[in-house]
Amino acid sequence: MPNAEDPERERRAAIGRMAKTVGLDIAAAHCDGVAANFTRIETLASLVMNFPLSDQPEIGVIFVP
Amino acid sequence: MNDIATKKPCSGATELAAAVRDGHISAARITRDTLDAIEKRDPTYNCFTAVTADRALREADSVDRALASGHDPGPLAGVPYAVKNLFDVAGLVTLAGSKINRDHAPAGNDATAIQRLAAAGAVLVGALNMDEYAYGFTTENTHYGPTRNPHDLARVAGGSSGGSAAAVAAGLVPLTLGSDTNGSIRLPAALCGIYGLKPTYGRLSRAGAAAFVDSLDHVGPFATTVADLAVAYDAMQGADLADPACATRPAAFAAGELERGIAGLRIAVAGDYFATGGTDEAHQAVVEVARALGTTQKVTLPEAARARAAAFVITASEGANLHLADLKKRPDDFDPMIRDRLLAGALVPASWYLQAQRFRRWFRDRVREIFREVDIVLAPVTPCAAPLIGQETMIVGGVEIPTRPNLGIFTQPISFIGLPVVAVPIRPPDALPLGVQVIAAPWREIDALRVARFLEQAGIANGRPVA
């Protein structure tokens, strides 16, 4: 498996691939910062993704408190 | 010269308006004094990014002429105010704290909030510093410099509406406007020791205010007294088709309700998530407020940590999407303080974002159940007092944590579901200011303002400017 022994390198490569899909070219100087921030978002997103919700979708784009 | 003629620009908004309406002082005189104060004192704090002197003098003259001809110029007659520089001001480029926006054309019209304050007689004197695109809690803006906390110039003013809070706390103007997506009114209000109101999501029009996260953006006022906060809030209420999120419900005017006291209000303290994670001083401020309000009841907002996480994800995704074109074309022109966060946010998968929005509905429904049992919930604004400018980490509960991402841990779950909040300033003896969130049910801003007024009268809350 390529990069299997270097998960951090594989992770950065994955971030680079995702960036290209949205047309972003992340400069080498920004890679560490982007990776750190993406990891922070991912950690917090996992809290939300792991929470069981009903199948009822959020309806409408205007949120009513 | 009578007393009112010697009032400094830092006098309260309602006090100044009364003096103008009663003919004790002219709006032009107040405006000139305010412009002088900004010129002399703002370099110490770095609140203003633009001063609209010509416009201010014109508006003041209009107020004075209206009075001279027997017309009522409005409840904010001659009151000088300034706005976070994400509000459109006709003739000024809306910077939103950025370098990139300098290339934009000047705004053709004022934001709705400014139009409404002008209609109430207020006088716009300038635009104020902020975190770039409102993505921050400290107003350490690389392009325009950090705004300094008037209580300690080595410390941040909070953000992202740091210029708005510091300008009021420094006594440069009695009233300012800011915006709050995750805490950007409440947090700088607390760190600068003044009052801030984040109304219910959709209560005040955001038309003409640069968006950050449309799902979560609010606008609101800062002031040194609750009465000033209420008068400004009242002046800005009303439906506005130019903001699709702005509610069509009738205005609920607050200024006349403040002296009703707290009788009949059921008040509780937010426990669990909101009772840990801050310094002893931050939590003690809530204890003192609860004691003054005579409550020992506690409530739990379930899954508050998850709510904060969901707000974080939505913010990252929407905030980045808004700036995707510039992130592709000119990433190096973004403030380094936010660039990497925006780039990372652009990569958030849709499933994370959508699940966060669905969780928002779940959390709203649970908190609505709590508001069947209570009217007001109390919580800290920040986990600590103002950090030093440039401070990367802070110690909370013996643990070293990054400063900037954690300043909003107590505000994010609340704005996530659009609840109205008054940030009430608490000043521990010989210590920096802190804040307590007085949180009400949706559309019940009046309840939160009544509690804030009670705390002000009781001497528990103190929003007096520094100078």
Side-chain angles (χ1 to χ4, degrees):
Chain A
M1 294 281 287
N3 299 320
E5 293 177 1
D6 189 350
E8 191 54 34
R9 189 173 163 190
E10 169 56 22
R11 178 173 187 73
R12 282 163 197 244
I15 287 173
R17 286 194 297 274
M18 284 195 294
K20 282 199 168 35
T21 65
V22 292
L24 282 173
D25 188 12
I26 298 175
H30 305 158
C31 281
D32 284 350
V34 175
N37 278 285
F38 190 80
T39 299
R40 183 176 293 129
I41 299 168
E42 185 177 31
T43 301
L44 291 167
S46 69
L47 280 177
V48 182
M49 297 303 285
N50 292 335
F51 187 74
L53 290 170
S54 74
D55 291 336
Q56 188 177 20
E58 173 71 17
I59 49 172
V61 293
I62 300 301
F63 178 78
V64 180
Chain B
M1 188 177 287
N2 62 29
D3 284 350
I4 204 73
T6 64
K7 291 284 180 204
K8 294 176 182 174
C10 62
S11 295
T14 48
E15 188 182 2
L16 283 174
V20 170
R21 289 154 64 97
D22 291 345
H24 294 303
I25 189 169
S26 70
R29 163 77 188 276
I30 292 170
T31 302
R32 285 195 301 272
D33 288 351
T34 301
L35 294 171
D36 283 349
I38 293 167
E39 183 178 0
K40 288 186 180 117
R41 297 179 52 229
D42 185 57
T44 302
Y45 308 110
N46 193 32
C47 301
F48 282 79
T49 54
V51 177
T52 54
D54 291 345
R55 171 184 172 141
L57 291 167
R58 279 198 310 274
E59 287 186 333
D61 184 55
S62 175
V63 168
D64 289 333
R65 279 189 286 109
L67 273 168
S69 60
H71 295 102
D72 182 357
L76 289 167
V79 172
Y81 75 104
V83 298
K84 188 175 185 175
N85 72 25
L86 56 62
F87 286 89
D88 283 351
V89 175
L92 286 189
V93 172
T94 308
L95 293 172
S98 73
K99 170 184 171 185
I100 288 169
N101 284 26
R102 289 178 198 162
D103 296 344
H104 292 188
N109 297 294
D110 290 338
T112 295
I114 293 175
Q115 292 175 24
R116 291 179 177 176
L117 289 180
V123 172
L124 181 70
V125 297
L128 299 159
N129 201 12
M130 56 181 283
D131 289 288
E132 185 173 60
Y133 295 128
Y135 206 176
F137 285 131
T138 59
T139 313
E140 294 169 290
N141 187 303
T142 304
H143 310 304
Y144 303 100
T147 292
R148 298 181 178 278
N149 191 314
H151 291 267
D152 181 343
L153 298 176
R155 295 179 183 273
V156 301
S160 62
S161 313
S164 304
V168 170
L172 298 175
V173 281
L175 180 67
T176 58
L177 297 186
S179 65
D180 188 317
T181 302
N182 285 296
S184 289
I185 289 174
R186 293 160 286 164
L187 204 145
L191 298 189
C192 288
I194 59 167
Y195 294 91
L197 169 64
K198 186 206 76 62
T200 310
Y201 181 79
R203 172 70 90 179
L204 298 183
S205 171
R206 308 165 306 172
F212 169 31
V213 179
D214 192 61
S215 295
L216 306 174
D217 288 343
H218 311 65
V219 299
F222 294 85
T224 59
T225 70
V226 180
D228 289 358
L229 209 59
V231 170
Y233 164 64
D234 286 353
M236 292 187 286
Q237 287 191 57
D240 184 9
L241 293 174
D243 176 3
C246 189
T248 54
R249 63 175 48 228
F253 296 117
E257 306 289 330
L258 299 181
E259 306 307 328
R260 285 172 55 199
I262 59 170
L265 292 178
R266 301 164 297 172
I267 301 170
V269 175
D272 293 332
Y273 175 86
F274 294 94
T276 59
T279 60
D280 291 346
E281 293 78 12
H283 294 297
Q284 185 60 31
V286 178
V287 169
E288 287 175 18
V289 165
R291 188 182 299 133
L293 296 169
T295 185
T296 54
Q297 186 180 351
K298 289 208 165 35
V299 292
T300 296
L301 276 57
E303 304 291 350
R306 239 182 275 269
R308 186 248 173 173
F312 199 100
V313 171
I314 291 169
T315 299
S317 181
E318 285 194 35
N321 186 262
L322 197 61
H323 299 291
L324 192 55
D326 285 323
L327 287 169
K328 290 176 184 177
K329 283 187 295 189
R330 46 194 299 191
D332 289 329
D333 288 335
F334 282 83
D335 190 330
M337 298 290 283
I338 75 159
R339 180 189 51 228
D340 293 353
R341 266 188 287 161
L342 286 172
L343 286 167
L347 310 181
V348 167
S351 57
W352 297 0
Y353 175 83
L354 292 170
Q355 187 79 349
Q357 287 285 10
R358 293 178 63 220
F359 177 76
R360 188 185 191 194
R361 183 188 183 122
W362 181 93
F363 186 61
R364 175 199 63 184
D365 291 346
R366 301 292 86 72
V367 175
R368 274 183 176 174
E369 290 167 11
I370 290 169
F371 276 109
R372 290 197 190 101
E373 308 298 323
V374 302
D375 301 298
I376 294 289
V377 176
L378 306 172
V381 175
T382 57
C384 59
L388 294 165
I389 292 170
Q391 183 178 329
E392 297 293 333
T393 62
M394 58 187 180
I395 307 291
V396 174
V399 179
E400 187 173 20
I401 56 174
T403 304
R404 296 183 187 96
N406 287 294
L407 283 172
I409 56 173
F410 297 135
T411 50
Q412 286 175 286
I414 308 303
S415 36
F416 179 54
I417 50 171
L419 299 177
V421 186
V422 176
V424 169
I426 306 297
R427 302 218 185 142
D430 303 320
L432 291 163
L434 289 159
V436 171
Q437 294 187 87
V438 177
I439 306 161
W443 314 112
R444 296 298 307 171
E445 287 87 350
I446 287 172
D447 292 347
L449 287 162
R450 283 169 59 196
V451 171
R453 174 65 180 143
F454 178 89
L455 292 167
E456 182 180 49
Q457 282 181 313
I460 302 298
N462 171 10
R464 277 197 305 274
V466 169

